[in-house]
Amino acid sequence: MEAEAEAEELAWRRETIPKVMKLVCTRLPQRDLVSLLLVSPWLHRTLVSYPSLWQPRYRQVKKIDFEFAQDIGQALGVPQERGNHRYSESLKSLETLNLNGCQKISYKGIAAVTSCCPNLKVFSIYWNVQVTDIGIKHLVENCRHLVDLNLSGCKNITDKSLELVADSYNELESLNLTRRVKLTDIGLRHILFKCSALQSLNLYALSSLTDNAYNNISSLSHLKYLDLCGAQNLSDDTLSCIAKCRKLVALNLTWCVRITDKGVIAVAESCASLEFLR
């Protein structure tokens, strides 16, 4: 009798529940439908097995935020490996993708997801130690329209990635390179010479860069936001050169230990639009 009861319950889950959920879920608002995904693994599998429930709702999705989703790494690889056409179609309109803190994502995950969203404009993968230059290569090959890129804390990305970014995104407007420990003067020069449309540049905690590298920032005539916190080699003369960026609105010079009154006066005299100075 116990075996029969278990068999009936299994059949109920496999046959009856899916039919009921398919009928009910077409009438549920998006928030309630997403909440059902979290009830149990088998209910999750049931719901995702009906693409018709999701495709109409997410066909025009513009933004996805996976920030600190610890297990998202493996899921990103599924679409490419299985050739999931519906998944690919649903991401074609995606413009913003936030993968900050998703530590399990490697170059395979980046290759999979970026291959589905050719219209991506904003990509952020803060503090990922798995991503390498190979992942950035996939990014620039698949997404040709980026204007905002955050590679903060990606410690295994080298100057090669900066060269790829500079060659591919001449219209880049915002770039965050915080704590990129393998970045050298060469990588930064690629960006400064080719990404002339930059309005925001974050070079926080890059103490290894030389004064000569910072000197080239003056070529960014559209620059509004500049973070040089920890630029220990930045001199007054180079800061005077940076002050030629007359559209600067915010400038962070915290822990720039070589700066004296001379450099600050140069900024004050040249940057009339400045609103924030640290």
Side-chain angles (χ1 to χ4, degrees):
M1 293 295 292
E2 185 176 341
E4 290 181 4
E6 290 180 357
E8 289 180 1
E9 181 179 356
L10 182 61
W12 181 71
R13 285 189 178 186
R14 287 181 174 177
E15 300 174 13
T16 306
I17 287 293
K19 292 178 182 178
V20 172
M21 296 308 297
K22 185 177 181 181
L23 290 172
V24 172
C25 289
T26 55
R27 295 167 173 79
L28 287 178
Q30 178 176 319
R31 181 183 296 272
D32 293 340
L33 183 58
V34 172
S35 296
L36 282 176
L37 292 172
L38 306 177
V39 172
S40 68
W42 64 266
L43 186 54
H44 182 280
R45 289 192 294 271
T46 297
L47 292 174
V48 299
S49 66
Y50 290 105
S52 59
L53 293 176
W54 305 96
Q55 187 68 16
R57 300 176 187 233
Y58 295 102
R59 186 168 293 154
Q60 299 300 321
V61 64
K62 299 289 186 181
K63 180 179 180 180
I64 294 179
D65 189 340
F66 283 139
E67 186 159 303
F68 294 106
Q70 296 299 315
D71 295 319
I72 201 65
Q74 293 180 346
L76 284 182
V78 171
Q80 190 178 62
E81 292 170 2
R82 297 183 181 177
N84 192 325
H85 175 69
R86 291 189 179 92
Y87 181 100
S88 300
E89 287 296 316
S90 66
L91 292 181
K92 277 190 173 181
S93 298
L94 190 68
E95 295 181 356
T96 300
L97 179 60
N98 183 349
L99 300 177
N100 289 342
C102 299
Q103 292 288 351
K104 292 186 178 180
I105 294 175
S106 67
Y107 73 91
K108 293 181 180 179
I110 292 179
V113 72
T114 58
S115 67
C116 302
C117 42
N119 295 309
L120 200 65
K121 294 181 179 179
V122 180
F123 182 72
S124 184
I125 191 162
Y126 162 86
W127 208 255
N128 182 301
V129 296
Q130 287 202 62
V131 172
T132 64
D133 296 333
I134 299 175
I136 302 305
K137 183 175 184 292
H138 286 297
L139 173 67
V140 301
E141 289 176 348
N142 294 328
C143 305
R144 307 298 297 179
H145 308 294
L146 279 192
V147 294
D148 189 328
L149 179 60
N150 185 349
L151 299 176
S152 172
C154 295
K155 296 183 177 181
N156 288 313
I157 291 177
T158 71
D159 288 339
K160 180 60 180 177
S161 286
L162 271 294
E163 183 178 1
L164 290 170
V165 168
D167 290 339
S168 303
Y169 303 129
N170 298 148
E171 300 302 317
L172 196 66
E173 296 177 2
S174 179
L175 180 61
N176 190 332
L177 300 175
T178 294
R179 296 188 186 277
R180 283 280 316 286
V181 295
K182 293 186 178 181
L183 176 65
T184 71
D185 290 7
I186 296 173
L188 183 59
R189 285 195 189 104
H190 284 301
I191 295 296
L192 299 179
F193 288 154
K194 294 188 177 181
C195 299
S196 58
L198 275 174
Q199 297 181 29
S200 177
L201 180 60
N202 193 331
L203 301 176
Y204 182 98
L206 296 176
S207 58
S208 62
L209 296 177
T210 71
D211 197 38
N212 288 332
Y214 295 119
N215 187 60
N216 296 310
I217 293 175
S218 61
S219 64
L220 303 178
S221 59
H222 301 287
L223 197 62
K224 294 181 178 180
Y225 305 95
L226 178 61
D227 193 332
L228 294 175
C229 177
Q232 296 180 16
N233 295 317
L234 181 66
S235 69
D236 283 333
D237 290 339
T238 294
L239 183 56
S240 299
C241 192
I242 291 174
K244 295 177 182 177
C245 300
R246 301 185 185 279
K247 293 183 180 180
L248 274 178
V249 174
L251 177 61
N252 186 358
L253 299 173
T254 305
W255 290 107
C256 295
V257 294
R258 293 181 61 191
I259 297 301
T260 70
D261 290 358
K262 177 183 176 182
V264 177
I265 290 172
V267 170
E269 291 177 342
S270 299
C271 302
S273 299
L274 203 64
E275 298 176 4
F276 174 91
L277 176 64
R278 175 172 290 172

